[in-house]
Amino acid sequence: MKDQWWEIEIQGSRALEDSAFEESTLEDLIFWELQAAGCLGTASFHRDGRPVICGYLPRVQVQEADIQAIAQELNQTIQALGLPPAPVRWSIVMQEDWANSWKDYWHTQPVGERFLIHPQWLPEPPHSERLLIRLDPGMAFGTGTHATTQLCLEALEEQYRSADHEGRQERVADIGCGTGILAIAALLLGAKQVFGVDTDPLAVEAAKACRRLNHLSPQQFSVQLGSVPELVAANRTPVDGLCCNILAEVILRLIPEMTSLVQPQSWAIFSGILQRQAQTVAIALEAQGWQVNQSKHRGDWCVLQATYQP
Ligand SMILES: C[S@@+](CC[C@H](N)C(=O)[O-])C[C@H]1O[C@@H](n2cnc3c(N)ncnc32)[C@H](O)[C@@H]1O
């Protein structure tokens, strides 16, 4: 049983093809649903020219009834987007080769104007003017290949381009830190301390591992299991800035709690937001004292930059 996994497969059906979304965005949404359902790995490929998305759960932890519930929820999400239900199948697979297969497709990658994202299992890249972020994500989100992460990295660059930050010894929160990619980026750009939180214990482990890979100390980058309340409890002094790359639905829930974490003029970067959700998030932010200064998008994804001005 120990080496056995449930494979949940959402088959390339008309549901994925007839969508008004870009195919990759719909895939992303299904991925995120699978992750929220506890999948420790995901994969996507094409079979007979049609997209297929798979999620993997350890058999020892999950009953077949749970899988049925996940399949139902996936179809509710798909139907909520106005699409016909997609066939969802599940089966038991024997080993975890799938967990490493994606590594073949991930290479050292420049992001924005300043960063070079480097998978730690590849040979060290030749010297570059870019700021090197070494990653080993394990099962956590945050390889730098996703549009929502790239939008955050570019927004961070912009944030630290202004001379205002020099010498400010900034303290920054990374809410939903995943691998810690944004925390590491903020430190490389000049932040003094970053406080990371994530509700996923696997992400917390991955962030700690990536902290070591980048020769950062726990004082520079602290990582904690939890969310905004845990950050507020751990930080008596408000932060100067925050990054939050989580789905819009989660951001909307967290916005009221975030006011206890920041101070007037704190900056924030919110990502993981679909373009059609951006206005709702902006209104919710403004209602809590934030001024949204900028929004940028890539494909269907959008990032909002804001300043706290209650
Ligand atoms: C899209 S990933 C972002 C990872 C990384 N920060 C990046 O930008 O690539 C979102 C992360 O938020 C975490 N998460 C989800 N809901 C959360 C919540 N309410 N509070 C804190 N973290 C949460 C997930 O476990 C996941 O690691």
Side-chain angles (χ1 to χ4, degrees):
M1 284 272 274
K2 204 162 110 339
D3 296 330
Q4 296 181 0
W5 296 78
W6 287 106
E7 181 180 68
I8 308 174
E9 180 182 298
I10 297 102
Q11 295 176 51
S13 71
R14 298 187 60 73
L16 297 183
E17 284 172 3
D18 290 355
S19 156
F21 286 107
E22 288 187 6
E23 185 182 300
S24 62
T25 312
L26 193 58
E27 262 184 42
D28 287 344
L29 286 176
I30 294 173
F31 271 140
W32 288 28
E33 287 278 332
L34 287 168
Q35 280 197 340
C39 287
L40 297 183
T42 46
S44 78
F45 50 92
H46 279 76
R47 187 193 292 140
D48 301 329
R50 294 198 154 188
V52 178
I53 301 171
C54 293
Y56 298 88
L57 286 151
R59 188 173 175 206
V60 279
Q61 287 173 18
V62 182
Q63 306 295 317
E64 187 153 15
D66 301 320
I67 304 283
Q68 280 165 350
I70 293 169
Q72 240 173 25
E73 270 175 38
L74 280 170
N75 258 319
Q76 275 165 10
T77 304
I78 289 170
Q79 286 174 277
L81 298 170
L83 300 167
V88 182
R89 285 200 316 217
W90 52 91
S91 58
I92 291 165
V93 292
M94 286 310 292
Q95 26 80 16
E96 49 185 311
D97 280 354
W98 55 266
N100 286 318
S101 56
W102 58 275
K103 287 188 175 177
D104 295 340
Y105 302 99
W106 187 30
H107 303 293
T108 303
Q109 183 188 10
V111 174
E113 290 176 12
R114 302 210 53 196
F115 297 112
L116 188 64
I117 314 293
H118 179 67
Q120 68 81 28
W121 54 88
L122 295 178
E124 190 79 1
H127 175 73
S128 148
E129 294 300 312
R130 285 177 174 264
L131 301 169
L132 189 64
I133 301 181
R134 297 179 179 88
L135 293 180
D136 186 355
M139 300 292 184
F141 188 106
T143 56
T145 54
H146 198 271
T148 58
T149 311
Q150 293 182 357
L151 285 165
C152 281
L153 289 169
E154 290 165 18
L156 269 173
E157 280 182 4
E158 206 169 295
Q159 192 65 41
Y160 278 88
R161 205 173 286 142
S162 86
D164 292 359
H165 295 276
E166 271 172 29
R168 273 187 54 183
Q169 308 271 302
E170 289 200 326
R171 302 164 75 252
V172 176
D174 182 1
I175 303 165
C177 62
T179 55
I181 182 170
L182 303 179
I184 297 165
L187 287 162
L188 290 173
L189 287 170
K192 183 186 169 217
Q193 245 185 327
V194 183
F195 309 96
V197 272
D198 202 294
T199 47
D200 178 357
L202 290 171
V204 170
E205 286 317 304
K208 287 180 182 169
C210 291
R211 177 175 71 197
R212 278 191 297 277
L213 282 176
N214 289 278
H215 311 295
L216 295 166
S217 68
Q219 286 68 37
Q220 288 170 295
F221 176 22
S222 67
V223 189
Q224 208 182 337
L225 184 66
S227 189
V228 177
E230 285 73 18
L231 267 181
V232 172
N235 284 284
R236 301 217 174 271
T237 320
V239 295
D240 303 293
L242 66 86
C243 306
C244 183
N245 178 16
I246 315 185
L247 287 179
E249 294 78 8
V250 182
I251 296 176
L252 286 170
R253 280 206 310 273
L254 297 180
I255 288 171
E257 299 170 6
M258 282 178 194
T259 45
S260 315
L261 189 63
V262 292
Q263 58 193 334
Q265 301 310 319
S266 291
W267 53 265
I269 296 168
F270 297 99
S271 188
I273 302 165
L274 288 170
Q275 278 208 71
R276 64 182 170 83
Q277 301 168 319
Q279 199 183 356
T280 309
V281 177
I283 290 169
L285 283 169
E286 280 165 12
Q288 293 288 331
W290 293 89
Q291 185 177 320
V292 177
N293 311 315
Q294 220 181 143
S295 76
K296 286 197 178 143
H297 69 91
R298 180 152 307 149
D300 291 321
W301 295 106
C302 176
V303 66
L304 299 178
Q305 286 172 260
T307 311
Y308 189 55
Q309 291 178 340

